[in-house]
Amino acid sequence: MSIVASDLIFFSVASVPTDDVSTTGGAIDLTSRVALTQFGANAKLALVSDGADARTVAIVGRLADGTVATEAALALNGVTEVLSVNTYERILSITLSAGSGTRTVTAKQGSGGSTVATFPVNDIKRHIQFQRSTSESGTATRYEKQFGKNTNGANALLNAQVTLTADPAANIQIGLATAVNDTVTVANRKTAPSSVTFVDDGVAQSVPGTDLASGGTIGTWIQQILSANAAATRSTFTLQFAGATT
Amino acid sequence: MKRSEAVAQIRSVERRCRGPHVMTVAAAVTLLAAAIDRDRATKASFLADKENDPDALPAPLMGDDHDAPWFDEAFEKTLLGCASTRDVATALLEIGQNPAAAFVDTVARGKGCGFDVNALIAAGPFNGEPANVACPKCKTVIRFTPAIYEIDLDDPQRHSGDPGPIDPTSEV
């Protein structure tokens, strides 16, 4: 069966740092994705499942005053919406206590608001990258990782490419691993992964070997460069994972 | 390591410029001629030819070879002044030649500049420092950060900015 867009998914990795000293990267984590739409205004996080569901949810976010707050175990109530206690300026991560083979959970900006994340079956976590990263007196460069995976069960993605297509803050470059299906880790997010060349949104990068086999993954390192004493930002970047199919 | 080994590793990931499609003026004229003579150079076959071999363009169909009176000497001069293929499409739109403009725009959007960015990366030092370089073909400024490769000091291909191997006996 031909590959369709929904077969091409970016997943997160085993080690997602929230500081500058923890291990970064590693193998693909098929239960986690860097896919979290930020709020348009300060709001409580609303969570709802599509059926009986008693899992708990851990929320990490910034409050209006900038402090980071955690709600460790907000209990889902099936198809009845539940609200976070805190009102957040931004969400850093949402983590379900366990995967479910049947239930889909939706996270929204406030009660009945717009969807900021959807957890399909077996998914556990949504998060942003470069959490709690700050500018410094000199240029601060950090590296985190994602994986593009061709989840089609039969077909290779032909002429596979990964491209940074949007970077409004102009502080992101991306670099592909020099081999597919890697598990490379770096000591911390301020350590550059070896042999990885980074480019901006003006360049399309092809996956090593040109085609990405069924089930294949391509490690994609994200480089964030914050200039000296840069002002605070809450921005986004967009990756495109594309190719041809038969 | 040898610089050639580092370059091979860089080239394991193909990188192409996404800037606007740019053609030589002769190619732009040829493209347009092909666009307005679908019987002799259909869109599909023309694109296929371009994909397989950008230099293998169909012969220009100028003057008496086609019946497009608006494609005169003055308009050809306009085309020669276009900076990119998209500008060619814009020029066509401005004179109301919408089908030809759409065809040219398709070529421009579908292909992009396509310059080999690895050639730019390989020409510079492998020092891990961010660089801004204008694409030689479309002039789009490309930002990149090469990986750090420690190149052998006796490598004749060594760039003056390449880091050398770390001496394990030196003190820091």
Side-chain angles (χ1 to χ4, degrees):
Chain A
M1 188 166 61
S2 294
I3 295 173
V4 296
S6 59
D7 289 335
L8 306 177
I9 301 172
F10 280 104
F11 288 98
S12 189
V13 291
S15 298
V16 179
T18 58
D19 56 42
D20 290 342
V21 297
S22 301
T23 300
T24 302
I28 190 170
D29 180 350
L30 296 173
T31 68
S32 178
R33 302 184 197 183
V34 184
L36 192 53
T37 303
Q38 285 300 331
F39 290 168
N42 295 351
K44 294 191 175 189
L45 184 69
L47 294 149
V48 62
S49 185
D50 62 351
D53 200 334
R55 289 177 287 173
T56 61
V57 183
I59 305 165
V60 181
R62 284 193 186 278
L63 306 180
D65 66 358
T67 56
V68 173
T70 299
E71 293 180 53
L74 180 67
L76 291 173
N77 187 20
V79 297
T80 302
E81 192 176 78
V82 295
L83 287 172
S84 63
V85 174
N86 295 325
T87 295
Y88 294 99
E89 181 264 347
R90 75 185 74 176
I91 301 295
L92 303 182
S93 66
I94 306 170
T95 309
L96 301 175
S97 56
S100 165
T102 57
R103 295 286 172 245
T104 295
V105 173
T106 303
K108 299 177 179 178
Q109 177 184 330
S111 180
S114 56
T115 297
V116 298
T118 303
F119 297 74
V121 293
N122 299 320
D123 267 26
I124 291 177
K125 186 168 186 174
R126 293 287 180 276
H127 66 90
I128 65 171
Q129 288 195 299
F130 302 107
Q131 297 174 45
R132 311 185 205 202
S133 65
T134 59
S135 63
E136 301 171 353
S137 57
T139 300
T141 305
R142 296 179 173 87
Y143 306 88
E144 296 191 11
K145 190 182 185 186
Q146 300 186 32
F147 276 94
K149 181 178 176 67
N150 171 15
T151 67
N152 186 280
N155 282 9
L157 179 66
L158 310 177
N159 299 315
Q161 290 188 332
V162 177
T163 306
L164 176 68
T165 57
D167 172 27
N171 58 20
I172 297 292
Q173 295 183 17
I174 66 168
L176 298 189
T178 53
V180 298
N181 306 323
D182 81 294
T183 59
V184 171
T185 295
V186 292
N188 58 64
R189 68 183 180 185
K190 298 195 83 170
T191 302
S194 64
S195 305
V196 175
T197 294
F198 292 87
V199 294
D200 72 355
D201 54 357
V203 180
Q205 297 185 94
S206 296
V207 168
T210 307
D211 302 333
L212 188 61
S214 166
T217 66
I218 178 64
T220 304
W221 287 91
I222 316 297
Q223 178 198 56
Q224 180 198 55
I225 304 175
L226 298 180
S227 57
N229 303 314
T233 61
R234 189 184 71 169
S235 190
T236 62
F237 63 88
T238 306
L239 301 179
Q240 175 182 280
F241 186 17
T245 185
T246 54
Chain B
M1 73 188 306
K2 299 294 184 190
R3 198 165 218 276
S4 58
E5 296 169 330
V7 170
Q9 204 162 68
I10 289 169
R11 287 197 173 280
S12 67
V13 175
E14 184 182 81
R15 299 177 176 88
R16 296 282 174 184
C17 177
R18 297 177 65 225
H21 187 265
V22 176
M23 306 180 79
T24 63
V25 288
V29 170
T30 301
L31 169 70
L32 186 56
I36 61 178
D37 192 343
R38 301 295 180 87
D39 291 337
R40 289 186 56 183
T42 65
K43 179 178 177 179
S45 65
F46 182 78
L47 286 173
D49 288 345
K50 284 282 293 168
E51 185 72 33
N52 295 329
D53 184 358
D55 296 326
L57 295 165
L61 307 175
M62 308 294 289
D64 296 337
D65 286 346
H66 63 75
D67 57 358
W70 49 269
F71 191 75
D72 55 17
E73 188 175 343
F75 187 70
E76 185 176 349
K77 283 184 179 175
T78 300
L79 291 184
L80 299 185
C82 290
S84 74
T85 313
R86 283 191 186 178
D87 295 334
V88 173
T90 301
L92 285 165
L93 272 180
E94 287 175 351
I95 61 167
Q97 295 300 320
N98 294 0
F103 169 69
V104 173
D105 190 60
T106 299
V107 173
R109 290 178 187 278
K111 296 190 70 67
C113 168
F115 185 80
D116 175 17
V117 174
N118 281 334
L120 297 176
I121 296 169
F126 299 151
N127 58 5
E129 294 297 321
N132 296 325
V133 178
C135 171
K137 188 174 176 185
C138 72
K139 310 307 178 194
T140 297
V141 175
I142 295 169
R143 294 186 303 143
F144 64 84
T145 308
I148 295 174
Y149 292 105
E150 294 167 358
I151 305 300
D152 294 343
L153 297 174
D154 60 354
D155 185 341
Q157 295 182 332
R158 180 183 163 78
H159 187 287
S160 60
D162 287 338
I166 296 172
D167 179 356
T169 62
S170 65
E171 294 182 359
V172 291

